[in-house]
Amino acid sequence: MSLNDPVVNVFLLISFLSLLPAVLIMFTSFTRIVIVLSFLRQGLGGQQIPPNPVIIGLAIFLTLFIMTEPLDSITKDSIKPYMAKQITLEEALKKAEPTIKEFMLRQTRQKDLALFLEISKEPPPATPQDLPLKIVVPAFAISELKTAFEIGFLIYLPFLIIDMVVSSILLSMGMMMLPPILISLPFKVLLFVLVDGWNLVVGSLMRSFL
């Protein structure tokens, strides 16, 4: 059987759909966005506010917004020609690879690429675009994790300061049995609303991919 066989194509399509969650996490901006939003929720102190469906839904739509340019390019150069049977599946995958690789390389640290290149014991390529996906993808993933934790720390810090101040005030008043989170939560929410927090957080996330 060849890749042009309809049965093989259907099998590959079903396999791709089953791997779609992994593709979403490992090849796009989704990981950074969902981690930062999770840090924000933890900083606010609301365990289920915003709820998980809201966090995931917002992360997915922000990911689609950020990935618009690569997705449009892949659709034009790979998906549409393949659906029109102008190119084979193998050719479509080869045409899509440089586009998604270019996006990932822009967000990937050289140090992380060097790590996986060293572990794989492969010779350094002439250009980063010549790196195989088996090196680019994990390097991109750990770069995204580091960036997400850096942004998350900056978001978490002011909420932590509010918690410490409220805790110190309650301790000085002898109210040791009262959980500080009950008092600090309204102040954190008020601060977040007054500074238009959602606009700042989402704007910073979007700009971090430029």
Side-chain angles (χ1 to χ4, degrees):
M1 287 187 178
S2 66
L3 289 177
N4 295 323
D5 192 293
V7 176
V8 175
N9 287 342
V10 171
F11 172 76
L12 292 175
L13 178 61
I14 294 173
S15 300
F16 174 77
L17 291 176
S18 66
L19 292 173
L20 195 57
V23 171
L24 176 67
I25 294 171
M26 299 301 294
F27 286 75
T28 69
S29 57
F30 179 82
T31 298
R32 183 190 305 186
I33 295 171
V34 78
I35 290 176
V36 169
L37 293 179
S38 298
F39 265 109
L40 173 60
R41 181 171 64 182
Q42 290 295 322
L44 283 170
Q47 296 301 318
Q48 294 298 327
I49 302 174
N52 279 330
V54 174
I55 295 289
I56 300 299
L58 180 58
I60 289 174
F61 277 94
L62 290 179
T63 299
L64 290 174
F65 185 86
I66 292 169
M67 300 297 296
T68 297
E69 185 177 345
L71 288 176
D72 286 346
S73 178
I74 291 172
T75 301
K76 178 183 176 183
D77 299 334
S78 301
I79 297 178
K80 285 185 177 179
Y82 172 70
M83 297 298 292
K85 297 184 178 180
Q86 297 173 354
I87 59 175
T88 64
L89 179 60
E90 186 177 5
E91 290 173 334
L93 293 175
K94 285 183 178 179
K95 285 179 175 290
E97 183 177 321
T99 303
I100 192 65
K101 193 185 291 184
E102 179 184 358
F103 168 79
M104 290 191 290
L105 287 172
R106 285 204 310 265
Q107 312 300 328
T108 307
R109 294 174 171 83
Q110 296 294 326
K111 183 178 180 181
D112 297 327
L113 288 171
L115 170 65
F116 287 98
L117 192 61
E118 179 185 353
I119 293 173
S120 67
K121 297 184 175 11
E122 292 195 8
T127 64
Q129 274 286 351
D130 295 329
L131 287 167
L133 282 177
K134 70 175 184 179
I135 291 176
V136 176
V137 173
F140 169 75
I142 64 174
S143 290
E144 286 293 279
L145 287 172
K146 181 177 181 179
T147 303
F149 274 68
E150 289 173 346
I151 299 174
F153 170 77
L154 295 176
I155 291 174
Y156 201 96
L157 194 57
F159 296 126
L160 178 62
I161 293 173
I162 293 176
D163 282 334
M164 293 174 64
V165 170
V166 170
S167 181
S168 298
I169 293 174
L170 291 178
L171 186 62
S172 65
M173 295 174 64
M175 305 173 67
M176 294 177 290
M177 301 302 293
L178 182 64
I181 187 65
L182 292 178
I183 307 300
S184 65
L185 179 58
F187 290 102
K188 290 189 287 187
V189 172
L190 178 62
L191 172 66
F192 191 69
V193 171
L194 288 177
V195 300
D196 198 7
W198 285 112
N199 184 282
L200 290 175
V201 171
V202 172
S204 298
L205 269 173
M206 305 296 277
R207 283 188 286 272
S208 71
F209 287 96
L210 298 179

